[in-house]
Amino acid sequence: IQNLKILDEHFRVLYSSRFEEGEFRKRVQFMYGGELKSIAFRYYGPSVEAVLDKLPTAEIVNEKDESGFLIKADVFGDGILMWLLSQGSKVDVLSPTNLREAWLSEIQKICQRAESLANKE
């Protein structure tokens, strides 16, 4: 800093308009940014607590039955897709529609790559 001038100007940030870092961190678990979105998926795995630990905003909508747990959560960005794919057959993405379509597209690519590799052997 070469020069500094103190001014008599002040500004105020309304408490209601402040950035809430804690709320932001609850929704950003992955390294991809983006828009805030509400997601819904079914979880069929053995430990729903693992999902609740990974997604702090997740809530169980219904208790486990033959169709698994219905989970809803708010997340930022598309990093959730990679996590959902890492769960394999333990999840079924329900909404939003564009997330479900991206999830299904990735599954198809995985199957096509596996078939291609099997045919080369």
Side-chain angles (χ1 to χ4, degrees):
I1 299 175
Q2 302 259 342
N3 193 356
L4 176 69
K5 182 177 180 182
I6 299 175
L7 303 174
D8 286 330
E9 296 177 27
H10 299 280
F11 66 93
R12 301 183 96 205
V13 175
L14 296 175
Y15 186 76
S16 63
S17 300
R18 77 190 190 292
F19 178 75
E20 295 186 40
E21 184 178 353
E23 289 300 312
F24 179 73
R25 285 181 184 230
K26 277 195 238 174
R27 290 167 175 77
V28 179
Q29 302 80 29
F30 311 102
M31 59 186 200
Y32 300 99
E35 298 289 318
L36 178 64
K37 63 178 84 175
S38 295
I39 64 168
F41 61 95
R42 291 209 175 273
Y43 179 73
Y44 304 95
S47 174
V48 73
E49 289 79 13
V51 174
L52 300 177
D53 284 347
K54 186 65 179 175
L55 304 172
T57 63
E59 63 180 69
I60 301 171
V61 177
N62 70 334
E63 291 301 317
K64 189 173 186 177
D65 58 18
E66 65 280 348
S67 60
F69 289 98
L70 177 58
I71 307 286
K72 290 191 176 183
D74 294 327
V75 298
F76 275 103
D78 296 325
I80 188 67
L81 177 60
M82 191 176 298
W83 182 82
L84 289 165
L85 287 164
S86 76
Q87 301 307 300
S89 63
K90 295 183 188 88
V91 298
D92 181 13
V93 177
L94 304 174
S95 68
T97 305
N98 63 339
L99 179 63
R100 179 171 175 80
E101 289 170 355
W103 176 71
L104 290 170
S105 175
E106 288 297 316
I107 292 170
Q108 289 172 345
K109 289 176 191 174
I110 292 167
C111 292
Q112 288 169 353
R113 181 172 292 132
E115 286 177 21
S116 175
L117 290 172
N119 290 336
K120 287 182 180 180
E121 291 178 355

